[in-house]
Amino acid sequence: MALLIGDIAPDFEAETSEGHIHFYDHIDGKWAVLFSHPKNFTPVCTTELGYTAKLKPEFDRRGVVVVGLSVDELKNHEGWSRDIEETQGQKLNFPLIADHNREIASKYEMIHPNADTSLTVRSVYVIGPDKKIKLKIEYPASTGRNFDEVLRVIDSLQLTARHSVATPVNWKQGEDVIIASSLSDEQAKQKFPNGWTAPKPYIRIVPQPAS
Ligand code: BEZ
């Protein structure tokens, strides 16, 4: 059965570049990003891993645990990590799972057999503190992801969790947000006592709440 937004993210144990982890213990009730990359020692993956490692302080600032996954063997990760540092100017600073038997990749549906029977696609899961899947994106192997977009989505997800707001098209940090339609006007008045602008009754716009 497909893993969908709102489902509980499967637990697992894994060997990683930073030792053995038990996923649920590792994320420990925090937000988490679990992402796959198709293969070590390949060009697009090298750029993605280096950039994600550079963004680590941004993930930390948001309280997000980052975990990468490939279906390569653990012994491969070390040499590749040196290449990432040499070519991207940043070494790995988060655990990279060595899922050589593809157990975790299968649980998380990261292998799309009609694309490639043995390598993963580029999957990203964002998992909430309640262990539920909040976001799922999938790119083909040939297209590097935009990890600034992953951070942008996390900002939106965290605002929704904290303030019952949604974010409009192309929203960025600091821009106006929309009161969630799950709140009645009465409930919205409690949360947003300064009111809102409403070009239509179902579009209630407020400044972004302070986090
Ligand atoms: C890459 O990272 O460049 C790559 C990896 C697997 C298949 C295609 C491209």
Side-chain angles (χ1 to χ4, degrees):
M1 237 198 16
L3 267 186
L4 302 174
I5 289 175
D7 290 353
I8 296 286
D11 196 14
F12 57 81
E13 293 191 41
E15 298 309 323
T16 82
S17 54
E18 298 190 0
H20 185 87
I21 63 166
H22 185 151
F23 188 56
Y24 278 6
D25 291 344
H26 184 72
I27 64 178
D28 189 26
K30 299 192 179 83
W31 289 83
V33 171
L34 174 67
F35 72 102
S36 62
H37 70 86
K39 197 168 169 51
N40 290 4
F41 300 105
T42 54
V44 177
C45 295
T46 303
T47 62
E48 282 193 334
L49 275 276
Y51 193 75
T52 308
K54 280 185 191 158
L55 286 183
K56 178 78 171 9
E58 291 298 321
F59 287 108
D60 289 346
R61 208 159 60 75
R62 291 160 174 84
V64 179
V65 176
V66 178
V67 179
L69 176 149
S70 83
V71 293
D72 290 81
E73 303 223 3
L74 190 58
K75 62 178 191 255
N76 263 335
H77 283 0
E78 224 169 84
W80 188 42
S81 179
R82 281 195 294 275
D83 286 3
I84 293 171
E85 184 171 15
E86 192 183 318
T87 61
Q88 309 303 308
Q90 173 65 58
K91 67 175 172 193
L92 286 183
N93 51 13
F94 53 84
L96 184 57
I97 295 170
D99 187 34
H100 57 91
N101 59 12
R102 300 186 225 151
E103 251 176 49
I104 302 161
S106 300
K107 269 189 186 175
Y108 275 86
E109 300 171 333
M110 292 164 165
I111 294 175
H112 296 195
N114 290 327
D116 191 304
T117 50
S118 56
L119 306 180
T120 67
V121 294
R122 300 184 190 279
S123 296
V124 183
Y125 286 89
V126 176
I127 298 160
D130 56 3
K131 301 194 176 59
K132 287 188 180 166
I133 295 168
K134 306 295 179 186
L135 169 87
K136 178 183 178 181
I137 41 183
E138 287 159 346
Y139 277 44
S142 52
T143 305
R145 287 156 287 194
N146 182 336
F147 280 85
D148 294 326
E149 168 64 4
V150 175
L151 281 177
R152 190 192 73 89
V153 178
I154 288 169
D155 286 340
S156 169
L157 290 167
Q158 292 188 336
L159 270 179
T160 301
R162 291 176 187 142
H163 299 289
S164 305
V165 293
T167 55
V169 60
N170 293 347
W171 172 86
K172 291 188 291 302
Q173 263 296 354
E175 294 179 353
D176 287 350
V177 298
I178 293 169
I179 299 173
S181 47
S182 56
L183 289 189
S184 68
D185 280 353
E186 278 316 303
Q187 290 167 321
K189 273 182 207 150
Q190 305 292 316
K191 278 192 182 261
F192 303 97
N194 294 332
W196 51 84
T197 54
K200 290 283 173 194
Y202 58 88
I203 307 177
R204 299 170 297 178
I205 300 167
V206 286
Q208 177 184 325
S211 46

